PDB file of all heavy atoms in Angstrom:
ATOM      1  N   GLU Y 288      88.223-148.880  30.936  1.00 97.00           N
ATOM      2  CA  GLU Y 288      86.970-148.544  30.246  1.00 97.00           C
ATOM      3  C   GLU Y 288      86.393-147.196  30.670  1.00 97.00           C
ATOM      4  O   GLU Y 288      85.612-146.581  29.935  1.00 97.00           O
ATOM      5  CB  GLU Y 288      85.939-149.651  30.509  1.00 97.00           C
ATOM      6  CG  GLU Y 288      86.296-150.973  29.836  1.00 97.00           C
ATOM      7  CD  GLU Y 288      85.291-152.064  30.148  1.00 97.00           C
ATOM      8  OE1 GLU Y 288      84.342-151.793  30.928  1.00 97.00           O
ATOM      9  OE2 GLU Y 288      85.446-153.179  29.613  1.00 97.00           O
ATOM     10  N   GLN Y 289      86.772-146.740  31.854  1.00 97.00           N
ATOM     11  CA  GLN Y 289      86.288-145.429  32.326  1.00 97.00           C
ATOM     12  C   GLN Y 289      87.229-144.286  31.937  1.00 97.00           C
ATOM     13  O   GLN Y 289      87.018-143.144  32.333  1.00 97.00           O
ATOM     14  CB  GLN Y 289      86.126-145.447  33.861  1.00 97.00           C
ATOM     15  CG  GLN Y 289      84.919-146.230  34.355  1.00 97.00           C
ATOM     16  CD  GLN Y 289      85.138-147.730  34.227  1.00 97.00           C
ATOM     17  OE1 GLN Y 289      86.213-148.229  34.567  1.00 97.00           O
ATOM     18  NE2 GLN Y 289      84.138-148.442  33.722  1.00 97.00           N
ATOM     19  N   GLY Y 290      88.276-144.613  31.152  1.00 98.00           N
ATOM     20  CA  GLY Y 290      89.218-143.582  30.733  1.00 98.00           C
ATOM     21  C   GLY Y 290      90.233-143.222  31.799  1.00 98.00           C
ATOM     22  O   GLY Y 290      90.866-142.168  31.740  1.00 98.00           O
ATOM     23  N   ASN Y 291      90.409-144.107  32.798  1.00 98.00           N
ATOM     24  CA  ASN Y 291      91.352-143.851  33.893  1.00 98.00           C
ATOM     25  C   ASN Y 291      92.653-144.618  33.695  1.00 98.00           C
ATOM     26  O   ASN Y 291      92.654-145.728  33.155  1.00 98.00           O
ATOM     27  CB  ASN Y 291      90.750-144.291  35.241  1.00 98.00           C
ATOM     28  CG  ASN Y 291      89.472-143.561  35.578  1.00 98.00           C
ATOM     29  OD1 ASN Y 291      89.373-142.345  35.389  1.00 98.00           O
ATOM     30  ND2 ASN Y 291      88.480-144.286  36.076  1.00 98.00           N
ATOM     31  N   HIS Y 292      93.751-144.015  34.175  1.00 97.00           N
ATOM     32  CA  HIS Y 292      94.999-144.759  34.351  1.00 97.00           C
ATOM     33  C   HIS Y 292      95.296-144.736  35.840  1.00 97.00           C
ATOM     34  O   HIS Y 292      95.536-143.679  36.424  1.00 97.00           O
ATOM     35  CB  HIS Y 292      96.154-144.130  33.579  1.00 97.00           C
ATOM     36  CG  HIS Y 292      97.438-144.886  33.754  1.00 97.00           C
ATOM     37  ND1 HIS Y 292      97.789-145.947  32.948  1.00 97.00           N
ATOM     38  CD2 HIS Y 292      98.445-144.763  34.669  1.00 97.00           C
ATOM     39  CE1 HIS Y 292      98.963-146.432  33.344  1.00 97.00           C
ATOM     40  NE2 HIS Y 292      99.369-145.730  34.394  1.00 97.00           N
ATOM     41  N   LEU Y 293      95.286-145.919  36.457  1.00 96.00           N
ATOM     42  CA  LEU Y 293      95.448-146.034  37.901  1.00 96.00           C
ATOM     43  C   LEU Y 293      96.714-146.808  38.213  1.00 96.00           C
ATOM     44  O   LEU Y 293      96.926-147.902  37.695  1.00 96.00           O
ATOM     45  CB  LEU Y 293      94.233-146.750  38.523  1.00 96.00           C
ATOM     46  CG  LEU Y 293      92.846-146.212  38.129  1.00 96.00           C
ATOM     47  CD1 LEU Y 293      91.752-147.059  38.763  1.00 96.00           C
ATOM     48  CD2 LEU Y 293      92.697-144.750  38.538  1.00 96.00           C
ATOM     49  N   HIS Y 294      97.571-146.241  39.073  1.00 94.00           N
ATOM     50  CA  HIS Y 294      98.834-146.894  39.431  1.00 94.00           C
ATOM     51  C   HIS Y 294      98.975-146.892  40.945  1.00 94.00           C
ATOM     52  O   HIS Y 294      99.032-145.838  41.562  1.00 94.00           O
ATOM     53  CB  HIS Y 294     100.012-146.155  38.799  1.00 94.00           C
ATOM     54  CG  HIS Y 294     101.346-146.769  39.119  1.00 94.00           C
ATOM     55  ND1 HIS Y 294     102.001-146.546  40.307  1.00 94.00           N
ATOM     56  CD2 HIS Y 294     102.135-147.609  38.402  1.00 94.00           C
ATOM     57  CE1 HIS Y 294     103.149-147.206  40.309  1.00 94.00           C
ATOM     58  NE2 HIS Y 294     103.248-147.860  39.175  1.00 94.00           N
ATOM     59  N   GLY Y 295      99.024-148.084  41.546  1.00 94.00           N
ATOM     60  CA  GLY Y 295      99.213-148.180  42.982  1.00 94.00           C
ATOM     61  C   GLY Y 295      97.952-148.614  43.709  1.00 94.00           C
ATOM     62  O   GLY Y 295      97.015-149.158  43.113  1.00 94.00           O
ATOM     63  N   ARG Y 296      97.904-148.392  45.017  1.00 95.00           N
ATOM     64  CA  ARG Y 296      96.775-148.810  45.861  1.00 95.00           C
ATOM     65  C   ARG Y 296      95.641-147.788  45.729  1.00 95.00           C
ATOM     66  O   ARG Y 296      95.655-146.749  46.383  1.00 95.00           O
ATOM     67  CB  ARG Y 296      97.226-148.928  47.318  1.00 95.00           C
ATOM     68  CG  ARG Y 296      98.268-150.009  47.564  1.00 95.00           C
ATOM     69  CD  ARG Y 296      98.653-150.071  49.028  1.00 95.00           C
ATOM     70  NE  ARG Y 296      97.491-150.401  49.855  1.00 95.00           N
ATOM     71  CZ  ARG Y 296      97.304-149.937  51.095  1.00 95.00           C
ATOM     72  NH1 ARG Y 296      98.168-149.096  51.621  1.00 95.00           N
ATOM     73  NH2 ARG Y 296      96.237-150.294  51.789  1.00 95.00           N
ATOM     74  N   ILE Y 297      94.686-148.099  44.884  1.00 97.00           N
ATOM     75  CA  ILE Y 297      93.617-147.144  44.569  1.00 97.00           C
ATOM     76  C   ILE Y 297      92.259-147.834  44.636  1.00 97.00           C
ATOM     77  O   ILE Y 297      92.089-148.940  44.101  1.00 97.00           O
ATOM     78  CB  ILE Y 297      93.830-146.532  43.162  1.00 97.00           C
ATOM     79  CG1 ILE Y 297      95.152-145.751  43.113  1.00 97.00           C
ATOM     80  CG2 ILE Y 297      92.658-145.614  42.783  1.00 97.00           C
ATOM     81  CD1 ILE Y 297      95.634-145.445  41.726  1.00 97.00           C
ATOM     82  N   ILE Y 298      91.303-147.187  45.285  1.00 97.00           N
ATOM     83  CA  ILE Y 298      89.898-147.582  45.217  1.00 97.00           C
ATOM     84  C   ILE Y 298      89.176-146.436  44.519  1.00 97.00           C
ATOM     85  O   ILE Y 298      89.211-145.289  45.000  1.00 97.00           O
ATOM     86  CB  ILE Y 298      89.291-147.802  46.616  1.00 97.00           C
ATOM     87  CG1 ILE Y 298      90.002-148.949  47.327  1.00 97.00           C
ATOM     88  CG2 ILE Y 298      87.793-148.083  46.512  1.00 97.00           C
ATOM     89  CD1 ILE Y 298      89.583-149.117  48.777  1.00 97.00           C
ATOM     90  N   SER Y 299      88.551-146.730  43.381  1.00 96.00           N
ATOM     91  CA  SER Y 299      87.878-145.655  42.642  1.00 96.00           C
ATOM     92  C   SER Y 299      86.408-146.012  42.448  1.00 96.00           C
ATOM     93  O   SER Y 299      86.068-147.129  42.059  1.00 96.00           O
ATOM     94  CB  SER Y 299      88.557-145.424  41.291  1.00 96.00           C
ATOM     95  OG  SER Y 299      88.496-146.585  40.496  1.00 96.00           O
ATOM     96  N   PHE Y 300      85.565-145.041  42.730  1.00 97.00           N
ATOM     97  CA  PHE Y 300      84.126-145.205  42.531  1.00 97.00           C
ATOM     98  C   PHE Y 300      83.608-143.993  41.775  1.00 97.00           C
ATOM     99  O   PHE Y 300      83.887-142.847  42.149  1.00 97.00           O
ATOM    100  CB  PHE Y 300      83.409-145.331  43.885  1.00 97.00           C
ATOM    101  CG  PHE Y 300      81.913-145.485  43.761  1.00 97.00           C
ATOM    102  CD1 PHE Y 300      81.342-146.694  43.369  1.00 97.00           C
ATOM    103  CD2 PHE Y 300      81.079-144.399  44.002  1.00 97.00           C
ATOM    104  CE1 PHE Y 300      79.964-146.826  43.235  1.00 97.00           C
ATOM    105  CE2 PHE Y 300      79.703-144.519  43.871  1.00 97.00           C
ATOM    106  CZ  PHE Y 300      79.144-145.740  43.486  1.00 97.00           C
ATOM    107  N   ASP Y 301      82.871-144.250  40.684  1.00 98.00           N
ATOM    108  CA  ASP Y 301      82.335-143.165  39.878  1.00 98.00           C
ATOM    109  C   ASP Y 301      83.459-142.182  39.495  1.00 98.00           C
ATOM    110  O   ASP Y 301      83.320-140.969  39.628  1.00 98.00           O
ATOM    111  CB  ASP Y 301      81.211-142.441  40.626  1.00 98.00           C
ATOM    112  CG  ASP Y 301      80.453-141.466  39.722  1.00 98.00           C
ATOM    113  OD1 ASP Y 301      80.473-141.662  38.483  1.00 98.00           O
ATOM    114  OD2 ASP Y 301      79.858-140.504  40.249  1.00 98.00           O
ATOM    115  N   THR Y 302      84.565-142.760  39.017  1.00 98.00           N
ATOM    116  CA  THR Y 302      85.740-141.969  38.642  1.00 98.00           C
ATOM    117  C   THR Y 302      86.005-142.156  37.155  1.00 98.00           C
ATOM    118  O   THR Y 302      86.048-143.291  36.668  1.00 98.00           O
ATOM    119  CB  THR Y 302      86.963-142.404  39.470  1.00 98.00           C
ATOM    120  OG1 THR Y 302      86.726-142.098  40.843  1.00 98.00           O
ATOM    121  CG2 THR Y 302      88.234-141.717  39.001  1.00 98.00           C
ATOM    122  N   LYS Y 303      86.191-141.023  36.438  1.00 98.00           N
ATOM    123  CA  LYS Y 303      86.342-141.093  34.986  1.00 98.00           C
ATOM    124  C   LYS Y 303      87.483-140.185  34.515  1.00 98.00           C
ATOM    125  O   LYS Y 303      87.751-139.147  35.119  1.00 98.00           O
ATOM    126  CB  LYS Y 303      85.044-140.662  34.290  1.00 98.00           C
ATOM    127  CG  LYS Y 303      83.826-141.551  34.568  1.00 98.00           C
ATOM    128  CD  LYS Y 303      82.577-141.015  33.891  1.00 98.00           C
ATOM    129  CE  LYS Y 303      82.140-139.703  34.556  1.00 98.00           C
ATOM    130  NZ  LYS Y 303      80.856-139.208  33.984  1.00 98.00           N
TER     131      LYS Y 303
END
Side-chain angles (χ1 to χ4, degrees):
E288 291 178 358
Q289 286 74 44
N291 300 317
H292 180 88
L293 310 177
H294 180 280
R296 296 180 61 213
I297 298 164
I298 297 173
S299 61
F300 179 76
D301 190 24
T302 295
K303 297 177 291 185

